[in-house]
């Protein structure tokens, strides 16, 4: 569960970073458009001055047509710039909300991690107590049996002795022969799986 929470936290962080990246990209594009619009406005001013100085009606009309096309481009650029600035404002608000959620989530994750660490410490203490109790009980078992038990314990991931489940070993699933089952059920002998 801790790993899942860490993963969710990483996803939240990535989402907050993505929102900030989109906001920056929108602002950068808005600045580029602003610069482009300024350049187009200067060209329109130049064309209008040029058109006033022309004597040929056809050349004046061409200059006015070109100036109108530039004004249309300016209008579209300003509209896009305005939309991008609105998007940047919206993304800034979403980013602030995401960062607030991120801070809250991080605090919760820190509390959960502390709880898990406390649980782990408690479980380790319980395991140590149980191991001490097991060692005391092994002192009462015949030495040959205790030796086999100690050898099997690490090899079987801490399960050196398993109960029967029907006719099979509860640890490995091997079918226990009938004669051996009688001894196990009567607690008269330990049977080692093959």
């Amino acid at each position: 569960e801790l790993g899942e929470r860490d993963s969710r936290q990483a996803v939240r962080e990535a989402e907050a970073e993505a929102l900030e990246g989109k906001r920056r990209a929108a602002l950068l594009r808005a600045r580029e458009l602003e610069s482009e619009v300024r350049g187009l406005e200067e060209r329109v001013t130049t064309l209008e001055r040029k058109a006033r100085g022309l004597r040929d009606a056809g050349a004046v009309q061409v200059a006015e047509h070109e100036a109108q096309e530039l004004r249309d481009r300016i209008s579209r650029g300003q509209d896009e710039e305005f939309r991008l600035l609105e998007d940047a404002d919206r993304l800034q608000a979403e980013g602030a909300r995401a960062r607030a959620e991120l801070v809250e989530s991080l605090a919760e994750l820190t509390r959960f991690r502390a709880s898990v660490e406390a649980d782990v410490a408690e479980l380790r203490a319980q395991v140590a107590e149980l191991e001490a109790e097991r060692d005391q009980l092994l002192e009462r078992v015949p030495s040959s049996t205790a030796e086999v038990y100690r050898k099997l314990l690490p090899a079987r991931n801490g399960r050196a002795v398993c109960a029967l489940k029907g006719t099979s070993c509860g640890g490995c699933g091997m079918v226990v022969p009938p004669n051996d089952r009688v001894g196990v059920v009567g607690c008269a002998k330990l049977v080692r799986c093959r």
Side-chain angles (χ1 to χ4, degrees):
E1 187 177 349
L2 184 58
E4 289 176 14
R5 288 182 183 217
D6 281 335
S7 295
R8 285 193 298 263
Q9 183 69 16
V11 167
R12 286 185 184 110
E13 289 172 2
E15 288 172 351
E17 288 175 16
L19 287 171
E20 181 60 21
K22 287 179 183 179
R23 185 187 73 82
R24 286 182 182 160
L27 289 173
L28 179 64
R29 180 63 183 137
R31 280 190 217 114
E32 289 171 355
L33 284 170
E34 183 179 6
S35 176
E36 186 179 317
V37 163
R38 258 189 260 122
L40 291 173
E41 287 172 340
E42 289 172 6
R43 283 181 59 193
V44 167
T45 304
T46 304
L47 278 172
E48 287 173 342
R49 250 186 277 128
K50 179 182 169 185
R52 283 191 295 267
L54 293 174
R55 298 190 191 280
D56 181 20
V60 169
Q61 209 171 21
V62 168
E64 286 176 354
H65 177 72
E66 190 177 340
Q68 185 57 45
E69 284 181 355
L70 291 174
R71 282 188 208 97
D72 291 344
R73 282 181 58 192
I74 289 170
S75 177
R76 286 192 302 272
Q78 288 173 334
D79 288 347
E80 185 177 353
E81 182 183 353
F82 182 68
R83 183 189 57 77
L84 287 169
L85 290 173
E86 285 180 338
D87 285 350
D89 288 344
R90 179 185 52 78
L91 289 169
Q92 185 174 11
E94 287 179 20
R97 188 172 44 255
R99 283 187 296 279
E101 289 173 1
L102 187 62
V103 167
E104 182 181 320
S105 168
L106 185 59
E108 179 186 336
L109 181 61
T110 303
R111 286 190 301 271
F112 182 72
R113 186 172 274 132
S115 170
V116 166
E117 289 171 1
D119 289 348
V120 166
E122 183 181 328
L123 288 173
R124 284 190 177 138
Q126 289 176 359
V127 166
E129 287 176 18
L130 291 172
E131 285 175 345
E133 184 180 337
R134 177 191 63 204
D135 290 341
Q136 287 177 351
L137 291 172
L138 278 175
E139 291 175 6
R140 292 191 260 158
V141 174
S143 63
S144 61
T145 304
E147 184 180 328
V148 170
Y149 177 85
R150 285 189 182 102
K151 285 181 184 177
L152 288 174
L153 195 60
R156 300 284 183 179
N157 292 328
R159 294 187 68 195
V161 177
C162 295
L164 277 178
K165 287 188 177 179
T167 60
S168 301
C169 170
C172 69
M174 179 193 94
V175 175
V176 178
N179 289 343
D180 289 338
R181 271 197 314 265
V182 171
V184 170
V185 170
C187 295
K189 70 177 187 176
L190 291 175
V191 176
R192 214 170 154 179
C193 296
R194 296 176 184 97

